[in-house]
Amino acid sequence: MGSDKKRKHSKEDKEVDAGISSKHDILTEHNGDSPSKKQKKDRKDKKESKEKKDKKESKEKKEKKEKKESKDKKEKKDKKESKDKKEQAEKKESKGKKEKNEFKVKEKKEKKDKEDKKASKDDAKNTKGEIKATASSSELSSAPSLDDLALLSMDMDVDDTPLIAKAAPKDKAPKQEVTKEKKVVEIKASGSNSASGSGAENTPKVDENGLTRMERQKLKKEAFLAKKAQNKEPSLTIKEPHGTIQLTNLRDLVVHVLTETPAMSWLEVKNKASIEKVVMVYIAGLDPQLFHINLKNAEHVQHPFAWIEKATSGPVTEFERLKQHFDKVNVVKATGDQQRIHSPTNTLLSVPLSNSEKQKRDLERLKNKNAKLKKPEDYMLKLQELKENSFPLPTYIDASAPPLEPGWIETPKIAKTTLAPLPKTMIAMDCEMCRTEAGPELTRVTLIDSNGKTILDELVMPENPILDYLTQYSGMTAVRLEGVTTRLADVQKKVQQLVNYHTILVGHSLENDMAVLKLAHPFIIDTSITYHHTRGPPYRPGLKWLSQKWLNRQIQVNSARGHDSAEDALSCMDLMKLKLTKPAGFGEYSPDNESLFSRLSRFMKPRTSALIDADAFAGLNAQTTIRTQTDAEVVAAVPEAVKNHNFVWARLRDLEINHGKAPPLELEEGQLVDTGRASKISSADKVQATTTEIREGVRSIDESIAAIIDSVPARTAVIVTSGQGDHRDVSKMQNKQRDFLALRKALALGEIPIKDRFLEKDVKLLEDTVEEAKHGVFFLMVKQ
C-alpha cells in the first residue's frame, strides 16, 4: 500500500514537472471553460522544443551510423588491398621460382643432350671400322620393315646428317646420299658394336627404328610443319544442293574474299585470308545450251554439272584446256523482271550502298542544294576521269602518258605568268565519222560557241577507202562527200585556231570525237557524265533523251537522214548552260549503289582494281583502266594488272559469235567487208553464225582462259562467267512489243494487222523467253 502511494506521488510529480495538469484540464474542459492563451502557448513551445530535440537526436544517430559504416568500408577495403598485394607478391615469387626451375631443367637438358651427342660422335669414331663391316654384313637382315619406314618418313629430319657419312673412305667413289634405310641399319650397328666398347655408357638410347630422341623430335616437327602448310591452302567449295545462284552472289563473292563480310550460304571459303587476288573473266556466249545443260532439270541447275562426261558433242568439245582446270560448270541467273533482263555487267560491277554511305550521300546532296551556283570549271573532268573514259591526254598533264602518235595534235600549254589567268570559255564540239580500212575516220566536224553560233562546220575526206558510211548515225553518204578535198590535217589547223588553253571543250561522249579528230585537249566537259542515266553508272544517258527531258527539244528524229553534228553540238552547249543556272545536283540521279571498285577501295585495307575491256565504263573508279581491241590484248594485259592490283576485271569477246553475228552488208562499189567486232549492233538484228565459226570462237576462248590462269600467281581466285544466256529472241520480241504499243496509241486494235499485234499469248511467250535467257554459267577455282 505504501509503495503504491509512493508510485502515485512520483507520477503526479512528473506531470507537474512537465507542466501538464490532467485533472485540471479535465475539470476545466468539463466546466466548459477554455484554457488561457498563456497555457496554450506554453504547451506549444514545449511541444516544439521536444520535436527539435528528437530531430537533433535522430540526426546525430544517423551521422554516427554513417560514420561507422564508412569506417567499416574503409577497413574492409584496406584489408582486401592488403590481401591482393600479398597474393600478387606470392604469385610473382612463385612465378620467379617456376621460371628459375624451368631454366635449370632446360639448361640441364641441353647439357645432357650435348654430352649425348658428343659421346655418340666419339663412339662413332672409335668404332668406324666395326660399323662399316657390321652395316655391310647386316644390311639385309637388319633392314627396317615397311611399317618402320613409314614411321621413319613421318619422323625423319632432312637436315640431320647420318653419322656413318663420316666413315666413308677417301679412296672410294664420291659419297652418295645416305638413304633412310641405310641410316637405320648403320645406327643399329653402331649401337650394338659400341655397347661392348669403352664408350658404351655414353651412347644415346635409340628406339626399335634406331632413332634417338632428338631425331624423333626433329622429324615430328617437320611433319607437323608440312601438315600446317598444307592446311593453309585456300579453296572455294560450292555446297550441294545450292539452290539458284544469282549473278549478285558472284559479285558478293569478290567483296567477301577481299574484304570483311559475312560468310556465304552457298559456298565454303577455306583460308580466305590466303587469297590476295581475284580475277573475274566475263565471256558472253558461254550459255548453258553450249554445255548441254537442261534448265528444266533441277539436278543440272542446283548442283555443279559434270560437263566433261556429258557434253561430248558440238562446239563444246573444242574446250581442251578448260578441262584441265574446271571439271564442273555451274548455272547462274541474271537479275531482272518478268519481261526484262538487267545488264549483267552492271550487276557484277555495282554494289548496294551501306546505310552509313546512304546517310553520307544524303547529307552531301543537302549541302549541294544550299551551295552557290557552280562555274564551268567545276564540271571539267579530272585526270582520273579522263583516263577512265579513254580520253587522249596531252603529254604535259600526265607524265606516264605515251607520246602522241604521228598525225596527232595537242593544245599547247601556256606558260605561267604573274598576270591573272584569262577566264575559260566553252566551245561545243561534235564530229561525224565513217568506217574505213584503218578504222573510224573523221567525215565532219562542227564547233559552236557559248552564244549558239556555229564557228566551224567542215566536211572531211578520209585518208583510207571507206567500208561503211554509217549513214544512220553520221548522215554521211557518198554523194555528200563527193568533191570534198579537205583532209584531217587541214581541219586540225582550223580547230587549233579556235581552241586554245583557255577553252573548255563541251560534247557528248567526246572521247570518240577527239579520237577521230586526233586531238588531245586538257579541259573537257562531257554531258554524258555531268548528266546521269536514271539507272546510274555505268550507264550513260543518250543525247536524244537528255534533250527531250531537260530542253524539251526533239533531235535525231530522222533516222534515215542520220545525226546532224551542228544540232548535237548545240544541244550539248544548251544542256551545260542550263546546268550552270541550276543548283548543284541538277540532272543527276543517286541510286542506292556504288561501283564494285569503289567498295573495295573503301575497305580498311584498301583493295585496288584494274578494268581490262574494249568498253570504257563511266564512273566506276577503277585505279587502272586498260582499253583493248582484241582478246590477245586482254590476255597480255592481265599479268601486269594482277601483279599491281587485288581485283581485275577482264572481258573476252571471241565467243560472242555464239549469240549471233552482224548481218552481211549490201556493199557499194569499191566498199570492203568490215570484219571487225567494234560495230554496235542490236541482238535482234544479229544472224546465226555457222558451226565452224562458233568452234573457232570456242578454241580462241579456250586458249585465252588457259593463258590467263597460267599467268596469275598461286592463291589467286579465278571466276569465269557469261552473266546470261542468248538474248536474241528476247530482243526481237521486245522490239515487236514496243512497235505494237506505238501503233496502239494511234490506231484501234482492229486496225492493226494481225502480224503486228502483241497480245496476251505473246506476253506469256516473252516472259518464258526472258526467264530462259537469264541463265548463264560460271566456273570457280583457286589456283594452287
Side-chain angles (χ1 to χ4, degrees), residues 65 160 344 378 463 488 694 698:
K65 184 179 179 181
D160 265 356
D378 297 323
E463 299 287 343
L488 176 63
I694 295 174
V698 171

Side-chain angles (χ1 to χ4, degrees), residues 74-90:
K74 187 177 180 182
E75 289 177 354
K76 192 175 181 180
K77 185 179 179 181
D78 292 341
K79 286 181 180 179
K80 186 178 179 182
E81 288 177 352
S82 177
K83 187 178 178 181
D84 291 342
K85 287 181 181 179
K86 188 176 180 181
E87 287 177 354
Q88 288 178 2
E90 290 175 353

